[in-house]
Each structure stands twice: as C-alpha cells, then as structure tokens.
Amino acid sequence: MSLGISEAYSGGFLEIIPEGEGSDYWLIVAIHINGEVLRPSPRLYRNKKQALAKAKKIYDWIANRDRQIYDRVCWCEELGITLWHESKNYF
C-alpha cells in the first residue's frame, strides 16, 4: 500500500496522496503555509513528481498573495484551481 507524502517546502509543507492503492495518479491534499491549511480543488496528476511540482506552484502563488487568499474560498485563475481555507476554528 502506498502512503501519501508530506514534503517540507519553503517553510511550510505539501501533502499529496495516490489516487488509490497501486495507482500511478496522485492528488494534492493540502498546502500548509504560515500555520494555515489550504486545500486545492481535486485534480489527478500522472505521477507524484507532477503532483509535487504543481503543489509547489500553488504554494508559491499563495506566498505571493499575502493574506488576501485566507477567505473561505479563493479562485486562482492563473493556475485554474479553487483553494479552500481550512479554518482553525471548528465552531
């Protein structure tokens, strides 16, 4: 069984997982930056290298937007994805 990968990147980290057991396709689960968690819209990538490369692009895009993206949902036209901010407040 292939487990997901958490990779440190630029002061935060990236999480990716395989689509399923034995699958070559990968999903980006979360981008962790400045103590915040953002989840991109689901999309399959052909391998873990592509998924990590896209996760790094997403991380860099977030890092260049300061705090403006920490609303509940943010559309990133440049990368063609939606990002959901996971609130630390559960109530």
Side-chain angles (χ1 to χ4, degrees):
M1 181 170 132
S2 181
L3 299 176
I5 295 173
S6 290
E7 181 174 299
Y9 181 73
S10 190
F13 65 98
L14 315 168
E15 285 185 83
I16 64 170
I17 60 170
E19 175 193 24
E21 191 171 334
S23 178
D24 292 332
Y25 288 89
W26 288 74
L27 294 159
I28 300 170
V29 177
I31 308 294
H32 298 261
I33 183 169
N34 299 327
E36 305 289 337
V37 178
L38 291 111
R39 299 190 184 279
S41 47
R43 181 166 296 151
L44 291 175
Y45 298 93
R46 291 185 183 263
N47 55 52
K48 71 179 174 184
K49 183 178 177 181
Q50 284 184 347
L52 282 171
K54 183 68 169 199
K56 289 175 183 179
K57 285 182 183 181
I58 296 168
Y59 186 103
D60 292 339
W61 185 88
I62 294 166
N64 291 326
R65 299 300 177 286
D66 294 324
R67 303 285 307 163
Q68 76 184 21
I69 56 93
Y70 293 115
D71 291 332
R72 191 81 172 136
V73 177
C74 176
W75 168 248
C76 171
E77 186 170 350
E78 182 180 330
L79 298 174
I81 60 166
T82 301
L83 292 169
W84 285 269
H85 178 239
E86 187 170 294
S87 175
K88 291 180 182 182
N89 299 326
Y90 298 107
F91 301 102

